[in-house]
Each structure stands twice: as C-alpha cells, then as structure tokens.
Amino acid sequence: MLARITDLFENDYGPDGFRTCSVTGLDIHRSAEKYVKLFGLTAVIALVVGGIFAFNVAMTRWELVGLLEPSSYYTHLSMHAWNLLIFWMVFMEIAILYVGGPMILGRRLPWTKVAAAGWVTMVVSAIGVNYSIWTTEAPNQAPLLTAYVPLPVSSLFYGMAILFLVGATIAALPFFVTIWKEKRGRPEATLPLIAFGAFVTGIIAVEAILGGIAAFGYALAWRLEFIATADAGVYRHLYWIVGHGTQQINLVAMITVWYFLTHVVGGAVVVSEKVSRSAFILYLFFINMGAAHHLLVDPGISANWRIWNTSYAFYGAAFASMIHAFAIPAGIEVGRRRRGLGGGLFGWLTSAPWKNPIFAAITFSVILFGFLGGITGVVMGQMQVNMTWHNTFAAVGHFHATVALGTTLAFMGLVFFVVRTMFQRQFVSGFLAMLTPYAYAGAMGIATIMMMYAGILYGVPRRTAEVVRNIPGSDFSLAAATPLFAVFGIFAVLAILGGVCFVAVAVGSLLFGDRINEGDNDDLLPEGGLRSDGGKPVHAYDMRGTFTLCLVFMAVFVASYVLNWYLLTELWAIGL
Amino acid sequence: MPETATDTDSAPFMQRLYNRIWLLAAAAFVFFLLSYVGWGLLDILAATPR
C-alpha cells in the first residue's frame, strides 16, 4: 500500500523533469505537479473531517433528530466550519495557485522547500486548530468560525489560526515568485487568463490574510493579557476581512477553475480577453468589500461607510460576477458552435458532455452559484433588505450556496480532473463518478433553499441547536418552520451521501484505479480536440443561447430583489 | 487559454495597463485600506458612549 501511495507522486518525466499533458497540452514540471497533488490530497482529508461534522450539525438543526445537546453543538459547528470553510478551501486554493502559475506558464515550481515548509505549517496549525476546538473546556467556549471577542476562546486557538494564515502565506510565496520571474523575464507580456485569475486570487488572499492576522493577533494579545481589553467593534471589523475575505478567495479561485475546465473538457473559448480580465480587475478592487455586509447592523460604523462598502463599491464586484456569468457560458456556446455542435438556441448545451463528471460539476457550480449564491449575496448586501436576513438561517443558506455548492462543486470537478490527468488513474467506478455531481448538487441545492426559506420566512436564527421546538424563556414559537426542517434534514443527509460518493471515487481511484495508458484520457477532451478552429473569429458566432439564459437570470434576480423588499414590508407578520 | 505569455508590442493602452499587475495589486490594496479598513476604524474609534 505504501508503494502504491508513493507511486501516486510519480509520472513519466523527461530528463529535464517536464512532461507534456495529453489533455491540456501543458508542459508540466515534476515539482509543480507533486505539490498540486500534495495540497489537493490534504484538502480532501479536511473535506472528510468537515463532512463528518456536517452530519452532526445538520442532524441537530433537524430537531426531530436532535442529535447533539446544546452544550456540545458549538464545538461540532466550529469543527464543521473550520474544516470546510477554511481548510478544505485554502489547501485547494494553494493547489490552484500552483496550477495557475507554474503549470500554465510551463515553469518549474520555485522555492520548493518553502512550499514544503508552507504545507507543514498549514497541516500542523490545522491540526492545532482542530485540537483546540475539540478540547475546549469551561470557562473557554468553542470559537465557531468567528471567535468574536469578548467570547472566552482559548489562546491556543488564536495562535494556531494565526499560524495557519502564516503557513498559507508561506505556501503562496512560490506562486508569487513564479509570476515575478515571468514578468521580470518579459515585462511587456500578457499573462494567460488563468494565470491572471490566479494572480488576482493571490492578491485578494494577501488582503484577507493580513486582516486575519491583525484580528486574531489583537484577540490573542487580549487573551494573553498584553492588553487589558479588546474592542468588539474593532475586532469584528478586522475579523471580517478574513472571515468573508477567505470566501472571496474561494470565489475568484472558483471562477479561474471555471475558465480552465470549461475550456479543457467543454471546448469553451474566451469570448473576450479584455472583458474577462476587466471583470477580474473589478474583483481585485471591490470583492473584499463584501465583508461589510456582516457589519450592517453593528453600532459604531456610519451609514455612509456601510452603504458605500456594501452597495456602491461592492456592486463593482457584482457587475464583475455578471460579466463572468455571461462570459463562461458564452465561451462554451461559441466553442461548441464552432465545432458544429450548436443547433438551434440551446443545441450547444444539450449536446454538451453531461456524462463527464468534470463538466457536470463545473456547470452545476456556475448555475447554482449564480442563481442561489450570487443573487442572495447581493440582496443581503443591501442595507434595508439585509434586515430580514441578518443572522438568520438564511445567511447560512447563502454561504452554503456559494461555498458548499458553487466552490465545492468546482473543486470536486478539479479533483476529478487531477485524478485523471495528474495522478493518471482511471475512476474506480465511472458510474459513481458520473452520479456524484448530480447527487451532490441536487441534494445540497434543496437543503440550501430550505435554509433560506426557514430564515427569511420564519426568522429562524443561525447558530442555535434548539429553536423550532424550544426557545428558552419565551412563548414565541417557530413551530411553523418544522416542515421546512424536515425537507432540509432529508436533503442534507442526501448531500452528505453525495459527498461520501465523491470521496469514495476520488480516494478509491487513487488506491485501486487502473493506471492511465496512452489515449485513455481522450474521453475528457471535447469533440474535435482541444483546439477546434471553425474558421471564423469568435465574435462571428452566435451567443443567443447565452443571452437568453442571462435574461432568465436577470428576471430571477429582479424578482428576488422585489420579493425581498415585499417581505421587508411584511416584517412584523413573519412567523404568524 | 494560451500556454505562454503573449508579447504586446504596440498593445492598446488598456492592455498595457492590465499587464502592470503589480501596480494594479498595489492600487487595489491601497484602495481597500482606505475605503474599508481605514474609514471603518475611524468610524468605530470616533464613536463615543452616551
């Protein structure tokens, strides 16, 4: 078994350490590939740990089951949050940086010892965070994701959280060195779009990490009594730079993966480099302002700051998302039409490789992120409408739509792609692999919608073990939300089973899958190969199918926005 | 998805601007520092208990 595992990190490289990928055509160096595999595998382990706690948390919120006592609920919720929102995501994102930098640019991974040191630091600190949460004892409390001061959270937790952020920074350094060398070597050259997207991801990550180190460092100084008090408002302000910023890293990394994989497995083209890069630059300037929506009901911050950061400025990022929401499907449409696969309005879509789990995962990621995660994010970022969402279960629904649906599906697709093209293994079960994105996306989509309904329609709060059947010290009843929680509970279990299916296929393929031989990966490529030139420039092809889809999206967006304003007018009738 | 960077002699202004990635990163960082971090902290620290 050990030989099998070490064999996973080997491929047939030339004397110079490079090999040419039979699917992407990229020249990949051993050093970059080894670390992409290492960080990707570690991310999947974090996904497994977080997924186990997802079951415990979901079965507690479904009060018919009521798995955990309120006294232990926060510990399990904290484990769930840190392993899935942080560790699963960030380990994957480092892997994506190494794909977007050295692999796309055909370079070695520089500073491999630094990459190794980053990985070790991240693993040790992730274990440390888990340990500090799991061993929480009174008077300390489990931190949840936020670890708000003056909540008595252990100093070990803050220390380990800071160490993890430092580790992620160390691990990202080889990527930045790659970009630096590329630009130094050819200062007037344009980076490929994927490398450009990865770079924007990296810079957004730097902002988020600095905010996190400032917030956790401030709290740690208070816990260690270097300072007498910690201002809750200052902490929250700094904390959300990383708390929400990490999720913006997810978003930009996810969109970079969208461009990469829709091209490789769906035959997509970039319909306009200028437009897509402009959208990435809008993200660079505005996406991290989304953090402000967590502070919309906080005292001490002016209305001007809130409105500027969540509306006027942040809409720059919303606009960017809508550009990508057009550019990605338009790229697929043009790419497939130029292959002669675009009959009628949606022929390019109906003829797409829906049995390819990588394509299906990416496409569901695009659709569900946009319709569920994106729209709700913009709605929540509006100061008045936010009042019906803030700190309700609907907010949990929103970030499950973005992270658990959008980003996780995209990363699942990427892991499947890495299994086939870098680990060079056949899926242990082609049928299970094909089923995974459908099962997970469908079940998690419904579970997410139920969270939103429970929060918006009944005001069910987040972060509480018992609310529907028991609100201590109050006659107020949320019992009317019980049916929603029944649906939520059932589909949460099904979504977790979808996650189990994903892990079984990914890990099972590595351990028991047949080695890929010459030509075995041809099924991943779009019809006509990776480069199919229809003889006409991109703008000469129809994009009316995408335009129609965008009109549908806009209609849903407007309807959701209007509906949320209506619900705000009905505020005092909620739950009656 | 080009595999190598493209040279841009006589590229349009916007493309040359977008190629200056470190400048863009620095500008975005300063903007965030002023618009979100600085302004927000000023608001909080200026708030006085009544």
Side-chain angles (χ1 to χ4, degrees):
Chain A
M1 182 59 78
L2 188 64
R4 176 100 191 171
I5 291 169
T6 52
D7 184 50
L8 290 173
F9 290 86
E10 284 305 320
N11 269 325
D12 294 328
Y13 300 102
D16 57 354
F18 281 93
R19 70 177 184 89
T20 302
C21 176
S22 63
V23 176
T24 59
L26 295 170
D27 290 325
I28 297 172
H29 193 265
R30 176 191 287 117
S31 56
E33 190 159 58
K34 185 169 81 173
Y35 282 98
V36 168
K37 290 174 177 179
L38 184 63
F39 278 93
L41 271 178
T42 314
V44 172
I45 292 167
L47 176 70
V48 172
V49 175
I52 291 166
F53 287 98
F55 178 81
N56 298 348
V57 168
M59 290 305 99
T60 304
R61 289 305 309 242
W62 187 13
E63 292 174 42
L64 184 70
V65 178
L67 185 65
L68 301 172
E69 290 297 315
S71 56
S72 56
Y73 177 69
Y74 278 11
T75 299
H76 287 247
L77 187 57
S78 304
M79 297 289 279
H80 171 58
W82 274 87
N83 282 288
L84 290 186
L85 279 169
I86 306 295
F87 303 143
W88 151 241
M89 291 286 148
V90 177
F91 277 106
M92 274 302 289
E93 282 148 11
I94 299 295
I96 289 166
L97 290 186
Y98 293 172
V99 172
M103 281 195 183
I104 293 290
L105 297 170
R107 287 175 164 269
R108 294 164 177 260
L109 182 74
W111 293 17
T112 49
K113 287 183 179 171
V114 172
W119 181 80
V120 170
T121 308
M122 287 170 73
V123 168
V124 167
S125 54
I127 292 168
V129 166
N130 275 292
Y131 174 81
S132 70
I133 295 170
W134 192 244
T135 56
T136 297
E137 285 182 353
N140 285 339
Q141 299 290 331
L144 298 178
L145 184 72
T146 46
Y148 285 148
V149 299
L151 186 75
V153 173
S154 77
S155 48
L156 176 66
F157 166 82
Y158 286 125
M160 287 295 146
I162 291 168
L163 190 63
F164 183 81
L165 294 174
V166 171
T169 307
I170 294 168
L173 284 175
F175 165 77
F176 284 118
V177 170
T178 303
I179 300 294
W180 179 261
K181 285 182 174 178
E182 182 75 15
K183 293 300 287 182
R184 290 276 293 190
R186 301 169 66 193
E188 298 306 316
T190 298
L191 286 177
L193 183 64
I194 305 303
F196 189 77
F199 176 77
V200 171
T201 304
I203 297 300
I204 287 166
V206 169
E207 284 179 2
I209 284 170
L210 288 174
I213 290 172
F216 293 140
Y218 181 51
L220 182 62
W222 167 66
R223 291 298 285 159
L224 295 176
E225 299 181 353
F226 295 148
I227 53 175
T229 58
D231 185 300
V234 170
Y235 174 84
R236 287 167 61 85
H237 182 63
L238 294 174
Y239 166 77
W240 280 114
I241 299 170
V242 72
H244 204 264
T246 44
Q247 309 322 308
Q248 309 298 15
I249 306 166
N250 302 341
L251 180 144
V252 186
M254 171 189 74
I255 288 174
T256 304
V257 170
W258 287 356
Y259 277 107
F260 178 59
L261 288 181
T262 54
H263 170 70
V264 175
V265 302
V269 295
V270 180
V271 291
S272 170
E273 289 272 352
K274 179 167 56 181
V275 168
S276 290
R277 285 169 199 266
S278 297
F280 274 120
I281 287 169
L282 284 169
Y283 276 158
L284 184 64
F285 277 84
F286 300 118
I287 193 75
N288 269 343
M289 293 176 162
H293 87 81
H294 290 276
L295 307 173
L296 284 175
V297 299
D298 278 29
I301 299 172
S302 65
N304 290 344
W305 182 92
R306 296 178 218 199
I307 292 168
W308 166 254
N309 279 282
T310 56
S311 296
Y312 292 105
F314 184 68
Y315 289 162
F319 178 49
S321 291
M322 285 190 262
I323 291 172
H324 290 305
F326 179 85
I328 299 273
I332 297 172
E333 182 170 9
V334 169
R336 297 190 68 74
R337 284 191 190 279
R338 70 173 8 173
R339 286 174 166 79
L341 301 164
L345 192 62
F346 294 122
W348 55 278
L349 200 55
T350 55
S351 68
W354 291 103
K355 289 185 179 177
N356 179 341
I358 300 162
F359 180 85
I362 294 299
T363 308
F364 292 147
S365 168
V366 174
I367 295 167
L368 293 168
F369 184 92
F371 277 87
L372 296 181
I375 290 173
T376 57
V378 175
V379 168
M380 286 172 73
Q382 211 283 336
M383 199 159 74
Q384 289 87 346
V385 177
N386 175 69
M387 296 307 293
T388 58
W389 285 74
H390 204 89
N391 278 348
T392 70
F393 207 35
V396 182
H398 158 71
F399 68 73
H400 276 75
T402 53
V403 183
L405 269 175
T407 311
T408 295
L409 272 166
F411 288 4
M412 282 178 172
L414 185 63
V415 168
F416 279 167
F417 182 77
V418 168
V419 166
R420 289 287 299 272
T421 61
M422 295 188 203
F423 286 107
Q424 301 267 315
R425 293 294 187 279
Q426 292 279 17
F427 291 133
V428 72
S429 165
F431 175 74
L432 268 185
M434 186 187 75
L435 184 72
T436 297
Y438 290 88
Y440 182 80
M444 183 55 87
I446 293 171
T448 296
I449 290 169
M450 290 305 124
M451 293 182 204
M452 292 180 194
Y453 282 172
I456 300 169
L457 300 177
Y458 296 99
V460 172
R462 65 191 297 190
R463 298 174 167 172
T464 42
E466 292 181 349
V467 291
V468 173
R469 293 195 302 181
N470 174 29
I471 305 178
S474 168
D475 292 331
F476 190 76
S477 173
L478 291 167
T482 302
L484 293 180
F485 275 94
V487 179
F488 160 76
I490 291 165
F491 281 94
V493 170
L494 292 174
I496 290 164
L497 287 174
V500 169
C501 201
F502 163 73
V503 173
V505 171
V507 177
S509 302
L510 297 186
L511 296 178
F512 309 112
D514 295 332
R515 181 101 193 171
I516 294 283
N517 295 313
E518 187 75 31
D520 282 353
N521 271 340
D522 289 353
D523 62 318
L524 295 182
L525 288 165
E527 300 87 337
L530 199 56
R531 286 167 185 76
S532 180
D533 185 2
K536 290 190 288 185
V538 165
H539 63 261
Y541 287 92
D542 246 335
M543 300 181 205
R544 65 183 192 276
T546 302
F547 183 66
T548 306
L549 292 175
C550 287
L551 288 178
V552 172
F553 177 78
M554 282 305 294
V556 174
F557 202 151
V558 170
S560 300
Y561 204 70
V562 170
L563 179 65
N564 272 275
W565 274 102
Y566 170 74
L567 287 171
L568 186 63
T569 67
E570 297 287 299
L571 187 62
W572 304 116
I574 285 177
L576 300 177
Chain B
M1 188 185 70
E3 286 148 27
T4 53
T6 315
D7 281 319
T8 53
D9 308 329
S10 70
F13 168 75
M14 287 302 286
Q15 187 173 349
R16 281 184 281 124
L17 177 65
Y18 285 11
N19 284 344
R20 302 192 66 179
I21 56 172
W22 300 106
L23 175 70
L24 290 168
F29 194 83
V30 169
F31 175 67
F32 182 71
L33 208 60
L34 294 173
S35 177
Y36 181 97
V37 183
W39 184 5
L41 285 176
L42 279 176
D43 274 354
I44 293 168
L45 297 175
T48 50
R50 294 181 186 184

